[in-house]
Each structure stands twice: as C-alpha cells, then as structure tokens.
Amino acid sequence: MYWGYRESFLCIRLSFVGVGAEQRLLTLLSYFNSFVTRTNTCGELRSAHVGQEVTLYGWIQYQRQGLFLVLRDFQGLTQIIIPQDEAHSHVKKLLSNAPVESVVRVTGTVSLRPPGQENPKMPTGDIEVKVETAEILNSCKKLPFEIKDFIKKTEALRMQYRYLDLRSFQLQYNLRLRSQIVMRMREYLCNLHGFVDVETPTLFKRTPGGAKEFLVPSREAGKFYSLPQSPQQFKQLLMVGGLDRYFQVARCYRDEGSRPDRQPEFTQIDIEMSFVDQAGIQRLIEGLLQYSWPEERGSITTPFPSMTYEEALADYGTDKPDTRFGMKIVDISDFLRRSDIQFVQNALSYPRGTVKAICIPQGVVMLRQECITTDAVCDTTFMEHSFPGWYSSNFPDSKIAPSHSPPSLLQCSALGSLRLESADLLEAAGLVLRNPTVFHFLWVVDFPLFLPKEENPTELESAHHPFTAPHPSDTSLLYSDPTKVRSQHYDLVLNGNEVGGGSIRIHSAEQQRFVLEKVLKEDSEVLSHLLEALEFGAPPHGGIALGLDRLISLIVDAPSIRDVIAFPKSFKGRDLMGNAPDYVTPEELEPYHIQVSWPLAEKEAKKT
Ligand code: ASP
C-alpha cells in the first residue's frame, strides 16, 4: 500500500501534462519553487540532479531505524538518507526522534541510489538525498488518525481534523484537479468566448418558490437578508444591464436540512447570455466541458445526446437517467392482455391501464434461481418475488402497478428505482454495468413548465424556477391550460446525476407577471425590481448553472461531494471542526432585535 501511494503520485503528475512529457513536467515543477527558500519539491528530483545541493521542506511520511526517512510534500516523496557518521550525530538524533508528520527542512546532496535499490514505481525512485543539515520546524503530536489514504477513519473524525485529512493524497488530488478544471473553464469562457466574470451579492432578499433560504438578521428591527440559492435574479439583471455574457464561480446557499450528499453551501459555474437559444447554451456547455475535461479521464464526445422529459420518464423512470446501461422500462400490456393472471387483468382494466416491466438479462445472478431468464414475463414475476416489501410499499393497492395516464409517474419512478437497485445488486454480484471511467452526458429537454405541488397537488409550482420561458410552440397554452405547457428548460445529466440545469428566460414583464400572479399565485411584489427591469428594454436571454461539486466528484469518482470540498459541512449541516453553527449571547443578539427562547436553546445544547 505504501508503494501504491507513491505510484499514484507518479500517474497523476505525468498524466496532467500528457504522456511522455517529462520535460514539460520538470519545467512545470520549477514554478513551484518561486518565492520560497526550497530548491526543489519532494516530487521533483531525478538522476539529472545528481550532485546538486538541495534544500527540501516537507512532512515526515515514514522513518526507518534511524537510517532513512521519506519526506512528503504536495508534489511527491523523496527518500532522505540519515547520516551515520559521528560528525552528523546531531542530525541523526534529530531526524531519528522526530515523529511522523513533523515538518522538517533538510539540506543535502542528491545521489544515485545504490544499484538494485532503485524504485521504478516512484518518480524520484532513482535518487536519494544524503542529508547535511536538518531542522525540525514543527514536531507533530500524536495524531488522531494516520494520514495514509488506505487507513479507514470515521467521517466525523475526518471532518473534525479536516486540515489533517487534507494532507491525504486523495484530497490533495481532488482539490488540485478541481482548481485546474475551474482554471480551464475561466480560460474558455473569458478568454475564448468573451464572458465577463462578475461577482454578485450574497446578502439579498427572499426569492419566491424553490429551496428554503438562509436568513441573516439585520440591524433594522424585523428585517432580514436572505442568502441567495443562486445568483438567478442578478444574472438576469446583468443581461438587462447589457453585460451580454456573464459567468461566475458562484457560492449558493440552500437550507434544505439534512439530505444525503447535499451541502448547505455549494458552488455553481453560473452562466447567462443574451440573444441565445437553447441550442446555443447546449453547444456552449459541450465546448466548455470538452475544453476543461482532464486529459487523464479520457475524452468526451460532443454533441451530447438529448432526450425529452417524457422519454426519460417512460424509458428510465426518472428525469436523470443513467444511460450507461440498458434495462429500460418496457410496456408489456399487449403481451399480457390474453393472460389469465388476475392481478394483471385488474391492472389492465383501469382506463388506459398498462403493465410495465424491466428486463434484467442477468437477473439470475441476483436471485440465484434458475427459473429467471431474459423474458419479460419472468422479470415481472421477479419484481413480485424479489422485492415484496419494496413492491407493496410502492403499490399498496394492487399486485402490479396500474397506470392511469401514460407514462404514470409513480409507476415509472418505482420501476426506475428498481432498475437502479437491480444494477447495484448485479454489480455486488460481480457484473460490471456502470464503468466508473465511462462518462455518459445527456441533455434532458422539454420539461413541463409547471408541476403539481407535492404538498398540495391542486396548486402548481415551477418545474425549474419561475423565470423559465414556455416552449415557443406552447406559449398560447400558458393562458388556457398551463399544466400542458412545455418549457425551455434543459438539464444536463452525467451518469444518472443532474450536473446542470438552466433555461431560456421570460423577458416580457407582462408574461412574467402572469406566471407569478395567475399561475403560481405568488406575491409578485417581492420581485417588483425584476418585473420593472423587464420593462426597460430587457434583451432575450438564457443561461445555465453547472453544479461544480457534483461534477468534480463524478470526474474523480469520489463517494461523496464532501470529498471535493475543502471544508464541507456534515450531513446535518454542521462544521465539525469549528463547531458552527454556534450559540451567541443575548447581548450579541440585541442589535438585531432578536431574542432566543433560551430554555429551548439550552435543551438543544444538551443534546449535542
Ligand atoms: N439558477 C438556476 C439554478 O440554480 C440555474 C439557471 O436557471 O441558470 O438551478
């Protein structure tokens, strides 16, 4: 495992600059030594450096019997030979007694390793540094966990000592790759396509609809700022302001409580353009991703395929289909119409009732039963027998899912979940369905403009957000039957995860007011500034936001988005290192005219 660590360093650094580009790599490495007193990084020295006097700084990764140690920095590892002669007894004592993870400075001479002791898996494996002088800059006390990547540690401990976790190869790699990708995105947008990087406020006011916003008290009694869930209004206002092409690496805030793999603050690559249509935004994003895609993750082909919302639901049971594998939902109603299976007949007797199934070609692996083959009937039987709990909780009233209007949301999404659960089971049994090195991008388009509210299905809410424009062919329906209007909203899906979403916007004040007041029944007063702006020569415009954290986590195949964020919050939205959120005193609250019900707060305090 120890060698694995070294090897990974080798692969990553070389692949960053392209295979066979050792010379370019060395040039790149020398940039890291500007402004500091080291001569080289710990990943830099090669046989070409033999005979040179060097000064290295790093952390002690490993120390062996006072004979040698391995020094680590962000760049790699170098073997350091501890002198054994009397004249260097002080250096020997110092380095032999220093605990691992102490920070040291060493000076010495680069020499070739003795024949047979080279390590071809290590970039610096041909050489070692014979120490002349050494200094312990900070001795490391007993660690709460070992830094090595392969040592398992609890998530809570990793968060509490995030600065130690950040020393691990994996986090270093993730954050550096993220930085490089963002750099390339900036280049593409600003240098190649004339986008302007504009910062927008994070102290703002409440936006109707959508996610819950964090409130920030103000010194004006009863008045609060909201932290924006995205720069949506500002980016549209920038278009009204004639900026033409806006982009921002934008921090967004959503107070959605504990949700697995969501963060209350997260980052979007936020984009808006004037005089653009849906196809224009799609081509821009394809170009952007292709340009910034890390070489070491292979290449991606464009244009990305596209699927309508209705197709996605009908075939995959979700609006973010994982298209890396088949097992699509199929309608088997006709096939079963003449059967005498009672529950099937019941299902088909509903108006427009259908029976749908997924075919799991290797389902036999899951059941360890010989009777399951590739035909649809057996797979329907399979659903019944293998997921009785899941099945009855999803379809409490019938033995198989009837559909009242195709595609039935409930039926399709239940089958969609079954499809993914089956894929998990098949993979647990050793079959590879979703190769993590394969990237399937997909556009999902033609969403409905409005959906019934989850908590009250008689009312409508925006499927995306209230600023999304109707599909040009459905505009008149907006005023007659809004439930039937498709929108100019598009989502970008990667391997079954939504990594971006956007829309062409409403740029007519009259239409925007109608949507807010008549369809969504929102108080349009909160948006009067935007409505007014739309009356002052607002250009047609549209945009998109890419979820940067999720995108990077998929690129590096991280188990959680927390692994690509330097200081993430816990599952419950807490910062376990600094212990935020934290209590403040009544005196500190006074300027904000806020009083906390203290008995309640104390009770809460005892719980944590
Ligand atoms: N602001 C939207 C979001 O955060 C994206 C967009 O419509 O551009 O989902």
Side-chain angles (χ1 to χ4, degrees):
M1 283 316 277
Y2 181 56
W3 294 111
Y5 186 94
R6 299 178 183 195
E7 268 174 71
S8 319
F9 259 99
L10 170 67
C11 307
I12 300 318
R13 295 313 316 169
L14 284 179
S15 55
F16 254 105
V17 287
V19 181
E22 180 78 358
Q23 198 46 51
R24 269 173 65 206
L25 173 73
L26 291 178
T27 318
L28 187 77
L29 290 175
S30 61
Y31 296 143
F32 294 124
N33 301 317
S34 46
F35 315 116
V36 290
T37 51
R38 70 172 167 235
T39 56
N40 302 86
T41 66
C42 296
E44 192 178 347
L45 298 172
R46 303 286 188 274
S47 49
H49 296 92
V50 167
Q52 287 185 13
E53 295 287 315
V54 294
T55 301
L56 307 180
Y57 289 79
W59 285 261
I60 299 177
Q61 167 90 3
Y62 179 73
Q63 192 270 118
R64 184 118 189 259
Q65 293 167 350
L67 295 174
F68 72 91
L69 58 84
V70 172
L71 205 60
R72 183 198 75 236
D73 66 10
F74 69 96
Q75 192 70 63
L77 304 163
T78 298
Q79 180 158 297
I80 308 290
I81 301 299
I82 304 175
Q84 303 296 316
D85 58 304
E86 198 47 43
H88 291 94
S89 58
H90 169 68
V91 175
K92 176 173 178 178
K93 196 168 159 213
L94 207 74
L95 292 179
S96 311
N97 294 332
V100 286
E101 291 305 314
S102 297
V103 184
V104 298
R105 178 186 59 79
V106 295
T107 61
T109 313
V110 183
S111 55
L112 277 181
R113 291 194 189 188
Q117 289 187 27
E118 303 87 353
N119 180 357
K121 292 180 179 163
M122 200 173 165
T124 61
D126 286 340
I127 59 94
E128 54 196 15
V129 172
K130 296 217 157 86
V131 175
E132 262 309 308
T133 65
E135 190 184 346
I136 310 293
L137 302 169
N138 192 315
S139 176
C140 182
K141 72 173 196 177
K142 192 175 170 345
L143 291 161
F145 53 78
E146 278 197 69
I147 305 298
K148 317 221 171 22
D149 287 83
F150 57 89
I151 303 275
K152 288 261 173 290
K153 41 232 164 200
T154 66
E155 184 80 7
L157 209 56
R158 287 180 59 193
M159 300 269 231
Q160 187 183 348
Y161 295 96
R162 188 62 170 178
Y163 47 86
L164 291 180
D165 203 24
L166 285 171
R167 288 186 197 169
S168 69
F169 163 75
Q170 193 61 55
L171 286 188
Q172 289 270 325
Y173 172 70
N174 293 353
L175 294 183
R176 282 166 203 284
L177 188 74
R178 178 179 174 135
S179 159
Q180 297 214 356
I181 291 174
V182 171
M183 187 67 215
R184 295 280 287 175
M185 288 181 164
R186 276 186 204 282
E187 265 173 34
Y188 182 83
L189 291 168
C190 298
N191 297 351
L192 300 184
H193 292 283
F195 281 76
V196 189
D197 182 350
V198 184
E199 288 159 74
T200 55
T202 53
L203 288 180
F204 194 47
K205 66 185 271 195
R206 199 184 75 80
T207 321
K212 213 151 171 253
E213 290 170 347
F214 283 98
L215 292 178
V216 180
S218 82
R219 285 164 193 265
E220 283 187 66
K223 290 196 175 173
F224 292 79
Y225 297 102
S226 274
L227 300 182
Q229 31 182 305
S230 81
Q232 186 61 37
Q233 292 183 49
F234 292 108
K235 64 175 174 171
Q236 291 193 233
L237 291 165
L238 286 170
M239 296 305 105
V240 182
L243 264 285
D244 196 72
R245 292 169 176 226
Y246 144 93
F247 132 83
Q248 181 180 194
V249 181
R251 186 52 61 90
C252 305
Y253 305 88
R254 293 184 192 171
D255 188 5
E256 296 178 323
S258 332
R259 289 240 220 141
D261 222 23
R262 292 260 180 122
Q263 285 283 304
E265 52 181 322
F266 60 96
T267 308
Q268 287 185 341
I269 300 294
D270 199 38
I271 290 172
E272 197 76 9
M273 286 173 92
S274 294
F275 313 112
V276 73
D277 61 10
Q278 179 165 312
I281 297 284
Q282 289 176 330
R283 298 301 84 83
L284 165 77
I285 293 301
E286 288 160 358
L288 173 72
L289 287 168
Q290 204 159 41
Y291 186 84
S292 55
W293 198 254
E295 221 175 290
E296 65 215 64
R297 297 283 143 166
S299 57
I300 51 174
T301 38
T302 58
F304 302 149
S306 186
M307 187 183 288
T308 66
Y309 171 81
E310 207 170 285
E311 281 164 354
L313 276 191
D315 292 350
Y316 296 93
T318 171
D319 60 1
K320 38 179 189 295
D322 189 341
T323 47
R324 284 174 299 173
F325 65 104
M327 282 163 49
K328 288 191 196 173
I329 298 171
V330 284
D331 190 328
I332 53 169
S333 314
D334 286 344
F335 183 75
L336 290 177
R337 219 168 285 284
R338 285 186 309 272
S339 83
D340 52 9
I341 308 167
Q342 196 45 49
F343 69 82
V344 168
Q345 290 311 326
N346 285 349
L348 291 173
S349 68
Y350 282 83
R352 293 198 285 164
T354 58
V355 179
K356 294 190 173 189
I358 54 169
C359 175
I360 305 168
Q362 313 219 33
V364 64
V365 178
M366 294 153 64
L367 282 181
R368 294 196 195 92
Q369 259 178 240
E370 281 167 20
C371 65
I372 302 300
T373 62
T374 57
D375 82 23
V377 183
C378 286
D379 289 323
T380 311
T381 317
F382 158 73
M383 287 196 316
E384 279 277 278
H385 292 307
S386 19
F387 291 86
W390 174 89
Y391 204 71
S392 56
S393 65
N394 279 289
F395 305 116
D397 299 324
S398 99
K399 286 200 94 188
I400 196 157
S403 158
H404 300 284
S405 62
S408 151
L409 249 176
L410 169 68
Q411 183 190 42
C412 289
S413 70
L415 278 172
S417 321
L418 177 66
R419 176 177 173 268
L420 293 178
E421 281 175 38
S422 307
D424 288 344
L425 287 174
L426 289 173
E427 284 182 343
L431 294 165
V432 180
L433 286 169
R434 297 164 294 190
N435 180 346
T437 61
V438 167
F439 296 94
H440 274 222
F441 280 101
L442 171 77
W443 289 110
V444 179
V445 298
D446 289 356
F447 280 79
L449 188 54
F450 308 107
L451 287 171
K453 275 190 186 166
E454 251 174 57
E455 63 284 4
N456 181 5
T458 58
E459 290 176 12
L460 292 178
E461 63 186 0
S462 302
H464 186 45
H465 55 53
F467 315 112
T468 302
H471 195 287
S473 3
D474 294 355
T475 310
S476 58
L477 279 173
L478 181 64
Y479 304 94
S480 53
D481 188 354
T483 60
K484 297 228 159 59
V485 181
R486 287 167 305 159
S487 68
Q488 295 191 67
H489 158 200
Y490 29 83
D491 269 355
L492 182 63
V493 175
L494 171 56
N495 295 352
N497 298 275
E498 185 191 325
V499 291
S503 58
I504 300 302
R505 326 296 184 188
I506 297 173
H507 71 281
S508 133
E510 182 249 50
Q511 194 176 73
Q512 184 67 77
R513 192 169 278 115
F514 180 84
V515 166
L516 286 167
E517 291 173 2
K518 299 286 181 293
V519 184
L520 300 173
K521 316 269 189 257
E522 289 282 357
D523 173 11
S524 64
E525 201 37 46
V526 248
L527 284 170
S528 55
H529 54 284
L530 185 80
L531 288 165
E532 194 178 9
L534 295 183
E535 286 168 331
F536 285 115
H541 59 286
I544 191 164
L546 298 181
L548 184 66
D549 311 297
R550 175 130 1 250
L551 178 66
I552 305 288
S553 72
L554 291 167
I555 293 176
V556 302
D557 194 25
S560 156
I561 59 166
R562 290 189 290 274
D563 292 325
V564 299
I565 298 174
F567 296 102
K569 303 278 187 290
S570 75
F571 170 58
K572 289 193 172 152
R574 297 187 64 83
D575 176 334
L576 299 180
M577 187 179 63
N579 198 26
D582 208 352
Y583 292 102
V584 295
T585 63
E587 295 72 47
E588 285 169 296
L589 283 176
E590 216 168 290
Y592 304 108
H593 315 275
I594 291 177
Q595 271 187 348
V596 173
S597 145
W598 282 104
L600 190 91
E602 276 158 22
K603 215 164 107 198
E604 284 293 312
K606 280 199 193 109
K607 271 202 257 163
T608 51

